[in-house]
Amino acid sequence: MYGRDEKKSGVRQMDLAERVLCGEQRAVAKAISLLEDRKPEHRSLMSRLYPHAGNAHVIGITGSPGAGKSSLVNGLLKAWRQAGKKVAVIAVDPTSPFSGGALLGDRVRMRDHEADDGVFIRSMGTRGSLGGLSEACQDVVRLLDAARYDHVVVETVGVGQAELDIMKTADTVALVLYPSGGDVIQAFKAGIMEIADVFIINKADLPGKEQLRGELEDLLHLTERKEEWIPPIFETVSTENTGMRQVTAGMKAHHDYLASSGKKAVRRLRQKEQEVMKRLQEQFSAEITPVVKQAFLTSKLDDSLRVWDPYGQAETIFKQWKQQFHINEEEKHE
Ligand SMILES: Nc1nc2c(ncn2[C@@H]2O[C@H](COP(=O)(O)OP(=O)(O)OP(=O)(O)O)[C@@H](O)[C@H]2O)c(=O)[nH]1
Ligand SMILES: [Mg+2]
Protein backbone atom coordinates (compact mmCIF):
# COMPACT_ATOMS: atom_id res chain seq x y z
CA MET A 1 0.00 0.00 0.00
CA TYR A 2 1.15 3.51 -0.76
CA GLY A 3 1.23 6.15 1.98
CA ARG A 4 0.39 9.76 1.12
CA ASP A 5 4.03 10.88 1.04
CA GLU A 6 5.07 7.84 -0.96
CA LYS A 7 2.37 8.57 -3.52
CA LYS A 8 3.67 12.12 -3.85
CA SER A 9 7.28 11.06 -4.28
CA GLY A 10 6.38 8.03 -6.38
CA VAL A 11 8.75 5.90 -4.30
CA ARG A 12 7.22 3.04 -2.39
CA GLN A 13 8.66 2.57 1.08
CA MET A 14 9.49 -0.96 2.13
CA ASP A 15 7.20 -2.43 4.76
CA LEU A 16 8.43 -4.14 7.93
CA ALA A 17 8.63 -7.67 6.46
CA GLU A 18 10.63 -6.46 3.47
CA ARG A 19 13.01 -4.55 5.70
CA VAL A 20 13.49 -7.67 7.86
CA LEU A 21 14.20 -9.72 4.74
CA CYS A 22 16.91 -7.18 3.83
CA GLY A 23 18.45 -7.79 7.26
CA GLU A 24 17.89 -4.24 8.50
CA GLN A 25 18.69 -4.41 12.22
CA ARG A 26 16.18 -1.80 13.40
CA ALA A 27 13.39 -3.55 11.53
CA VAL A 28 14.48 -6.89 12.99
CA ALA A 29 14.38 -5.45 16.54
CA LYS A 30 10.94 -3.92 15.94
CA ALA A 31 9.57 -7.15 14.46
CA ILE A 32 10.84 -9.18 17.42
CA SER A 33 8.97 -6.90 19.85
CA LEU A 34 5.84 -7.47 17.81
CA LEU A 35 6.30 -11.24 18.09
CA GLU A 36 7.02 -11.10 21.81
CA ASP A 37 3.88 -9.07 22.48
CA ARG A 38 1.86 -11.48 20.29
CA LYS A 39 0.21 -8.48 18.59
CA PRO A 40 -2.38 -9.54 15.99
CA GLU A 41 -0.04 -8.47 13.16
CA HIS A 42 2.48 -11.11 14.16
CA ARG A 43 0.71 -13.84 12.21
CA SER A 44 0.72 -12.04 8.88
CA LEU A 45 4.32 -10.99 9.48
CA MET A 46 5.36 -14.60 10.11
CA SER A 47 3.45 -15.80 7.04
CA ARG A 48 5.52 -13.37 4.96
CA LEU A 49 8.82 -14.41 6.56
CA TYR A 50 8.46 -18.19 6.80
CA PRO A 51 9.02 -18.92 3.10
CA HIS A 52 12.42 -17.19 3.38
CA ALA A 53 13.59 -19.12 6.44
CA GLY A 54 15.48 -22.41 6.31
CA ASN A 55 19.02 -21.44 5.34
CA ALA A 56 20.50 -20.51 8.72
CA HIS A 57 22.33 -22.95 10.94
CA VAL A 58 20.31 -22.78 14.17
CA ILE A 59 22.44 -23.58 17.20
CA GLY A 60 21.08 -24.13 20.71
CA ILE A 61 23.48 -23.60 23.59
CA THR A 62 22.37 -24.80 26.99
CA GLY A 63 23.88 -25.60 30.36
CA SER A 64 23.56 -24.75 34.01
CA PRO A 65 23.78 -21.15 35.28
CA GLY A 66 27.29 -19.78 35.24
CA ALA A 67 28.69 -22.57 33.03
CA GLY A 68 30.13 -19.88 30.77
CA LYS A 69 27.60 -20.01 27.93
CA SER A 70 27.62 -16.27 27.22
CA SER A 71 31.42 -16.11 27.43
CA LEU A 72 31.58 -19.04 25.03
CA VAL A 73 29.14 -17.37 22.60
CA ASN A 74 31.28 -14.24 22.75
CA GLY A 75 34.32 -16.31 21.72
CA LEU A 76 32.41 -18.17 19.01
CA LEU A 77 31.15 -14.85 17.63
CA LYS A 78 34.76 -13.78 17.10
CA ALA A 79 35.58 -16.97 15.21
CA TRP A 80 32.47 -16.74 13.03
CA ARG A 81 32.98 -13.06 12.28
CA GLN A 82 36.56 -13.76 11.22
CA ALA A 83 35.12 -16.31 8.80
CA GLY A 84 32.78 -13.60 7.46
CA LYS A 85 29.56 -15.08 8.90
CA LYS A 86 26.61 -13.01 10.11
CA VAL A 87 25.37 -14.16 13.51
CA ALA A 88 22.28 -13.51 15.62
CA VAL A 89 22.11 -14.44 19.30
CA ILE A 90 18.99 -14.82 21.42
CA ALA A 91 19.65 -15.15 25.15
CA VAL A 92 16.60 -16.70 26.79
CA ASP A 93 15.91 -16.56 30.49
CA PRO A 94 12.57 -18.17 31.27
CA THR A 95 12.98 -17.83 35.02
CA SER A 96 13.29 -14.07 35.18
CA PRO A 97 10.08 -12.07 34.77
CA PHE A 98 11.90 -9.11 33.26
CA SER A 99 15.07 -10.79 31.98
CA GLY A 100 16.95 -7.89 33.57
CA GLY A 101 19.75 -9.98 35.04
CA ALA A 102 20.27 -12.05 31.92
CA LEU A 103 20.11 -9.00 29.72
CA LEU A 104 22.74 -7.17 31.68
CA GLY A 105 25.06 -10.17 32.03
CA ASP A 106 24.81 -11.19 28.38
CA ARG A 107 25.28 -7.68 27.09
CA VAL A 108 28.41 -7.32 29.20
CA ARG A 109 29.84 -10.67 28.09
CA MET A 110 29.15 -10.03 24.43
CA ARG A 111 29.89 -6.34 24.27
CA ASP A 112 32.94 -6.95 22.06
CA HIS A 113 30.42 -7.14 19.22
CA GLU A 114 28.23 -4.18 20.05
CA ALA A 115 29.20 -1.98 17.13
CA ASP A 116 29.34 -4.81 14.59
CA ASP A 117 26.36 -4.80 12.22
CA GLY A 118 27.03 -8.44 11.30
CA VAL A 119 26.02 -9.37 14.85
CA PHE A 120 22.58 -9.07 16.41
CA ILE A 121 22.07 -9.79 20.13
CA ARG A 122 18.73 -9.89 21.90
CA SER A 123 17.55 -11.08 25.31
CA MET A 124 14.15 -12.64 25.86
CA GLY A 125 12.39 -13.27 29.15
CA THR A 126 8.86 -14.33 30.05
CA ARG A 127 7.74 -10.71 29.94
CA GLY A 128 5.46 -9.98 27.02
CA SER A 129 5.45 -13.46 25.53
CA LEU A 130 1.80 -14.19 26.21
CA GLY A 131 1.64 -17.22 23.97
CA GLY A 132 4.43 -18.89 25.93
CA LEU A 133 8.12 -18.19 25.73
CA SER A 134 9.00 -21.20 23.61
CA GLU A 135 6.44 -20.23 20.93
CA ALA A 136 7.69 -16.65 20.75
CA CYS A 137 11.29 -17.86 20.70
CA GLN A 138 10.55 -20.28 17.87
CA ASP A 139 9.12 -17.43 15.80
CA VAL A 140 12.10 -15.18 16.58
CA VAL A 141 14.48 -17.93 15.40
CA ARG A 142 12.60 -18.20 12.09
CA LEU A 143 12.54 -14.42 11.75
CA LEU A 144 16.33 -14.15 12.19
CA ASP A 145 16.78 -17.04 9.76
CA ALA A 146 14.70 -15.12 7.20
CA ALA A 147 16.77 -11.98 7.93
CA ARG A 148 19.73 -13.89 6.45
CA TYR A 149 21.88 -14.52 9.48
CA ASP A 150 24.17 -17.47 8.75
CA HIS A 151 24.05 -18.64 12.35
CA VAL A 152 21.19 -18.14 14.79
CA VAL A 153 22.32 -18.98 18.32
CA VAL A 154 19.86 -19.51 21.17
CA GLU A 155 21.31 -19.52 24.67
CA THR A 156 19.09 -20.92 27.43
CA VAL A 157 19.74 -21.35 31.13
CA GLY A 158 18.80 -24.50 32.98
CA VAL A 159 16.99 -27.64 32.03
CA GLY A 160 13.22 -27.12 32.22
CA GLN A 161 10.51 -28.04 29.71
CA ALA A 162 10.58 -24.59 28.05
CA GLU A 163 14.32 -24.95 27.42
CA LEU A 164 13.88 -28.44 25.99
CA ASP A 165 11.17 -27.14 23.62
CA ILE A 166 13.43 -24.27 22.56
CA MET A 167 16.37 -26.62 21.99
CA LYS A 168 14.20 -28.73 19.72
CA THR A 169 13.99 -25.83 17.26
CA ALA A 170 17.78 -26.01 16.80
CA ASP A 171 19.71 -27.98 14.19
CA THR A 172 22.67 -28.41 16.51
CA VAL A 173 22.42 -28.48 20.30
CA ALA A 174 25.51 -27.84 22.41
CA LEU A 175 25.59 -28.66 26.11
CA VAL A 176 28.09 -26.59 28.11
CA LEU A 177 29.47 -28.21 31.26
CA TYR A 178 32.21 -27.19 33.64
CA PRO A 179 34.32 -28.99 36.20
CA SER A 180 32.37 -28.71 39.42
CA GLY A 181 30.36 -31.95 39.50
CA GLY A 182 26.66 -32.60 39.53
CA ASP A 183 25.49 -30.94 36.35
CA VAL A 184 26.15 -33.95 34.08
CA ILE A 185 23.75 -36.09 36.09
CA GLN A 186 21.22 -33.27 36.11
CA ALA A 187 21.40 -32.90 32.32
CA PHE A 188 21.12 -36.67 31.96
CA LYS A 189 17.97 -36.76 34.09
CA ALA A 190 16.40 -33.85 32.23
CA GLY A 191 16.83 -35.54 28.85
CA ILE A 192 19.28 -32.96 27.51
CA MET A 193 21.99 -35.59 26.93
CA GLU A 194 19.78 -37.30 24.37
CA ILE A 195 19.33 -34.19 22.29
CA ALA A 196 22.83 -32.72 22.61
CA ASP A 197 24.93 -33.04 19.45
CA VAL A 198 28.08 -31.41 20.81
CA PHE A 199 29.48 -31.37 24.35
CA ILE A 200 31.67 -28.57 25.60
CA ILE A 201 33.72 -28.77 28.77
CA ASN A 202 34.22 -25.07 29.48
CA LYS A 203 36.49 -23.67 32.19
CA ALA A 204 39.04 -26.30 31.18
CA ASP A 205 41.59 -24.18 33.05
CA LEU A 206 40.03 -25.33 36.34
CA PRO A 207 40.90 -28.65 38.02
CA GLY A 208 38.61 -31.63 37.54
CA LYS A 209 38.12 -31.65 33.76
CA GLU A 210 39.38 -35.27 33.37
CA GLN A 211 36.90 -36.49 35.94
CA LEU A 212 34.11 -34.59 34.19
CA ARG A 213 35.10 -36.06 30.83
CA GLY A 214 35.03 -39.55 32.37
CA GLU A 215 31.54 -39.04 33.84
CA LEU A 216 30.33 -37.61 30.56
CA GLU A 217 31.66 -40.51 28.50
CA ASP A 218 30.11 -43.04 30.93
CA LEU A 219 26.70 -41.38 30.71
CA LEU A 220 26.94 -41.01 26.94
CA HIS A 221 27.26 -44.80 26.69
CA LEU A 222 24.00 -45.12 28.60
CA THR A 223 22.18 -42.60 26.46
CA GLU A 224 20.00 -43.91 23.71
CA ARG A 225 20.65 -42.08 20.46
CA LYS A 226 18.55 -42.23 17.35
CA GLU A 227 21.23 -41.09 14.93
CA GLU A 228 24.65 -42.41 13.95
CA TRP A 229 26.32 -39.06 14.75
CA ILE A 230 28.78 -39.53 17.63
CA PRO A 231 28.77 -36.32 19.69
CA PRO A 232 32.26 -34.89 20.08
CA ILE A 233 33.51 -33.48 23.38
CA PHE A 234 35.44 -30.21 23.20
CA GLU A 235 37.40 -28.37 25.87
CA THR A 236 37.36 -24.58 26.01
CA VAL A 237 38.56 -21.70 28.13
CA SER A 238 36.10 -19.07 26.97
CA THR A 239 37.65 -16.26 28.95
CA GLU A 240 40.90 -16.81 27.05
CA ASN A 241 39.31 -17.63 23.71
CA THR A 242 40.82 -21.11 23.70
CA GLY A 243 39.20 -23.91 21.72
CA MET A 244 36.78 -21.74 19.74
CA ARG A 245 37.89 -22.87 16.27
CA GLN A 246 37.50 -26.53 17.25
CA VAL A 247 33.97 -25.85 18.48
CA THR A 248 32.90 -23.91 15.36
CA ALA A 249 34.44 -26.68 13.21
CA GLY A 250 32.60 -29.34 15.24
CA MET A 251 29.31 -27.49 14.87
CA LYS A 252 29.86 -27.14 11.14
CA ALA A 253 30.67 -30.86 10.88
CA HIS A 254 27.36 -31.63 12.57
CA HIS A 255 25.53 -29.31 10.22
CA ASP A 256 27.24 -30.93 7.20
CA TYR A 257 26.26 -34.34 8.54
CA LEU A 258 22.62 -33.24 8.88
CA ALA A 259 22.60 -31.76 5.38
CA SER A 260 24.35 -34.65 3.60
CA SER A 261 22.31 -37.36 5.34
CA GLY A 262 19.04 -35.54 4.59
CA LYS A 263 18.40 -35.28 8.34
CA LYS A 264 18.24 -31.49 8.34
CA ALA A 265 15.25 -31.60 6.04
CA VAL A 266 13.65 -34.33 8.17
CA ARG A 267 14.22 -32.31 11.38
CA ARG A 268 12.76 -29.18 9.79
CA LEU A 269 9.73 -31.17 8.64
CA ARG A 270 9.20 -32.55 12.17
CA GLN A 271 9.55 -29.04 13.60
CA LYS A 272 7.07 -27.70 11.08
CA GLU A 273 4.64 -30.49 11.96
CA GLN A 274 4.91 -29.54 15.64
CA GLU A 275 4.49 -25.86 14.87
CA VAL A 276 1.39 -26.51 12.75
CA MET A 277 0.07 -28.75 15.52
CA LYS A 278 0.57 -25.96 18.07
CA ARG A 279 -1.18 -23.38 15.88
CA LEU A 280 -4.11 -25.80 15.40
CA GLN A 281 -4.29 -26.52 19.11
CA GLU A 282 -4.43 -22.77 19.76
CA GLN A 283 -7.24 -22.40 17.23
CA PHE A 284 -9.14 -25.41 18.49
CA SER A 285 -8.81 -24.26 22.07
CA ALA A 286 -10.17 -20.82 21.15
CA GLU A 287 -13.11 -22.48 19.38
CA ILE A 288 -14.02 -25.09 22.00
CA THR A 289 -13.56 -22.98 25.16
CA PRO A 290 -16.82 -20.99 24.75
CA VAL A 291 -18.67 -24.21 23.88
CA VAL A 292 -17.52 -25.84 27.12
CA LYS A 293 -18.33 -22.75 29.15
CA GLN A 294 -21.79 -22.61 27.60
CA ALA A 295 -22.40 -26.30 28.27
CA PHE A 296 -21.67 -25.84 31.94
CA LEU A 297 -23.73 -22.68 32.17
CA THR A 298 -26.95 -23.90 30.62
CA SER A 299 -29.27 -26.75 31.41
CA LYS A 300 -28.42 -28.28 28.05
CA LEU A 301 -26.43 -30.85 29.97
CA ASP A 302 -28.21 -34.17 29.99
CA ASP A 303 -28.21 -36.46 33.00
CA SER A 304 -25.09 -38.33 31.95
CA LEU A 305 -23.20 -35.05 32.08
CA ARG A 306 -24.25 -34.39 35.63
CA VAL A 307 -22.22 -37.37 36.74
CA TRP A 308 -18.67 -36.41 37.72
CA ASP A 309 -16.82 -37.98 34.82
CA PRO A 310 -14.63 -35.50 32.95
CA TYR A 311 -13.74 -38.07 30.26
CA GLY A 312 -17.39 -38.76 29.47
CA GLN A 313 -18.28 -35.08 29.68
CA ALA A 314 -15.49 -34.09 27.32
CA GLU A 315 -16.56 -36.77 24.86
CA THR A 316 -20.21 -35.72 24.97
CA ILE A 317 -19.36 -32.05 24.47
CA PHE A 318 -16.95 -32.91 21.67
CA LYS A 319 -19.59 -35.08 19.94
CA GLN A 320 -22.21 -32.36 20.26
CA TRP A 321 -19.77 -29.81 18.87
CA LYS A 322 -18.84 -32.09 15.98
CA GLN A 323 -22.49 -32.71 15.25
CA GLN A 324 -22.89 -29.38 13.45
CA PHE A 325 -20.24 -30.42 10.92
CA HIS A 326 -21.81 -33.86 10.42
CA ILE A 327 -25.13 -32.23 9.56
CA ASN A 328 -23.37 -30.07 7.02
CA GLU A 329 -21.57 -33.12 5.62
CA GLU A 330 -24.91 -34.97 5.21
CA GLU A 331 -26.46 -31.97 3.51
CA LYS A 332 -23.57 -31.91 1.10
CA HIS A 333 -24.13 -35.56 0.18
CA GLU A 334 -27.83 -35.17 -0.41
N1 LIG B 1 37.99 -19.81 34.82
C1 LIG B 1 37.10 -19.63 33.85
N2 LIG B 1 36.03 -18.83 34.07
C2 LIG B 1 35.14 -18.69 33.05
C3 LIG B 1 35.29 -19.34 31.79
N3 LIG B 1 34.22 -19.02 31.02
C4 LIG B 1 33.46 -18.20 31.75
N4 LIG B 1 33.98 -17.98 32.97
C5 LIG B 1 33.43 -17.14 34.05
O1 LIG B 1 32.26 -17.76 34.55
C6 LIG B 1 31.30 -16.77 34.93
C7 LIG B 1 29.97 -17.02 34.22
O2 LIG B 1 30.12 -16.83 32.84
P1 LIG B 1 28.92 -16.55 31.86
O3 LIG B 1 29.47 -16.54 30.50
O4 LIG B 1 28.11 -15.41 32.31
O5 LIG B 1 28.07 -17.87 32.11
P2 LIG B 1 26.60 -18.20 31.61
O6 LIG B 1 26.55 -19.68 31.51
O7 LIG B 1 26.26 -17.42 30.41
O8 LIG B 1 25.75 -17.70 32.84
P3 LIG B 1 24.15 -17.49 32.91
O9 LIG B 1 23.73 -16.84 31.63
O10 LIG B 1 23.97 -16.62 34.11
O11 LIG B 1 23.59 -18.85 33.10
C8 LIG B 1 31.92 -15.42 34.58
O12 LIG B 1 32.48 -14.89 35.72
C9 LIG B 1 32.99 -15.77 33.57
O13 LIG B 1 34.06 -14.87 33.56
C10 LIG B 1 36.43 -20.18 31.62
O14 LIG B 1 36.65 -20.79 30.56
N5 LIG B 1 37.29 -20.29 32.67
MG1 LIG C 1 24.54 -16.18 29.97
Side-chain angles (χ1 to χ4, degrees):
M1 272 228 301
Y2 285 70
R4 210 180 333 140
D5 292 343
E6 292 156 15
K7 234 180 196 170
K8 225 191 295 173
S9 66
V11 180
R12 191 180 77 91
Q13 293 224 324
M14 286 197 292
D15 69 11
L16 188 62
E18 286 169 315
R19 286 166 56 212
V20 169
L21 291 173
C22 290
E24 199 192 301
Q25 286 212 352
R26 273 180 55 195
V28 168
K30 191 172 164 192
I32 291 179
S33 301
L34 212 97
L35 294 182
E36 279 187 307
D37 295 344
R38 291 327 233 188
K39 292 255 170 70
E41 309 94 280
H42 90 266
R43 284 192 196 169
S44 56
L45 177 70
M46 286 316 294
S47 296
R48 296 268 306 279
L49 299 179
Y50 254 102
H52 301 273
N55 298 314
H57 181 193
V58 183
I59 297 166
I61 297 195
T62 192
S64 52
K69 301 175 294 295
S70 301
S71 310
L72 176 81
V73 171
N74 189 46
L76 297 177
L77 277 169
K78 275 190 196 127
W80 279 320
R81 291 304 289 143
Q82 275 165 12
K85 304 288 184 195
K86 280 181 72 182
V87 192
V89 182
I90 315 166
V92 186
D93 184 3
T95 50
S96 136
F98 295 103
S99 77
L103 190 128
L104 211 66
D106 295 323
R107 284 281 153 82
V108 171
R109 305 259 182 277
M110 301 179 206
R111 77 177 152 205
D112 296 354
H113 307 277
E114 222 163 24
D116 182 350
D117 65 3
V119 173
F120 180 86
I121 300 171
R122 173 83 172 219
S123 295
M124 281 180 81
T126 41
R127 179 192 63 91
S129 44
L130 297 175
L133 182 61
S134 54
E135 274 85 34
C137 186
Q138 219 161 42
D139 282 348
V140 174
V141 167
R142 302 295 171 232
L143 181 146
L144 292 165
D145 186 345
R148 300 171 195 226
Y149 286 95
D150 299 296
H151 301 292
V152 177
V153 179
V154 188
E155 176 193 329
T156 64
V157 186
V159 284
Q161 189 54 49
E163 291 88 338
L164 263 180
D165 284 350
I166 292 166
M167 285 300 122
K168 283 180 186 161
T169 64
D171 300 312
T172 302
V173 174
L175 176 65
V176 183
L177 302 159
Y178 66 106
S180 80
D183 50 346
V184 190
I185 308 278
Q186 215 186 358
F188 181 74
K189 280 195 205 145
I192 298 266
M193 297 279 283
E194 281 153 51
I195 62 161
D197 305 295
V198 172
F199 290 88
I200 297 162
I201 298 179
N202 188 43
K203 307 196 186 185
D205 54 324
L206 300 183
K209 69 173 180 193
E210 280 79 19
Q211 192 195 335
L212 175 59
R213 185 181 272 270
E215 283 173 27
L216 185 55
E217 282 168 352
D218 286 348
L219 284 173
L220 267 173
H221 285 303
L222 295 176
T223 310
E224 234 180 89
R225 304 196 71 92
K226 291 184 193 79
E227 293 168 352
E228 55 275 7
W229 169 261
I230 298 166
I233 303 172
F234 296 107
E235 290 179 14
T236 56
V237 183
S238 298
T239 39
E240 289 165 19
N241 248 349
T242 310
M244 298 302 139
R245 293 223 172 273
Q246 286 85 334
V247 174
T248 54
M251 286 172 168
K252 184 176 180 305
H254 181 251
H255 188 246
D256 291 347
Y257 156 78
L258 287 182
S260 63
S261 61
K263 293 215 157 62
K264 180 167 173 170
V266 174
R267 277 193 189 197
R268 287 284 161 100
L269 203 69
R270 288 286 151 272
Q271 289 161 358
K272 202 163 222 177
E273 185 182 333
Q274 279 178 5
E275 286 173 36
V276 169
M277 207 51 218
K278 265 187 203 155
R279 300 288 96 82
L280 278 170
Q281 279 165 352
E282 274 169 18
Q283 271 184 21
F284 179 69
S285 171
E287 179 114 350
I288 202 81
T289 304
V291 178
V292 177
K293 283 204 180 337
Q294 190 62 23
F296 276 84
L297 267 179
T298 63
S299 54
K300 267 202 279 175
L301 300 176
D302 60 33
D303 280 343
S304 67
L305 272 178
R306 288 183 213 288
V307 182
W308 177 241
D309 167 20
Y311 291 93
Q313 290 181 346
E315 206 174 318
T316 308
I317 291 173
F318 185 62
K319 272 188 189 148
Q320 281 171 359
W321 176 78
K322 249 175 45 178
Q323 204 64 34
Q324 52 180 314
F325 303 111
H326 283 163
I327 291 163
N328 290 343
E329 287 287 302
E330 278 160 22
E331 278 172 358
K332 250 195 282 172
H333 291 125
E334 269 170 17

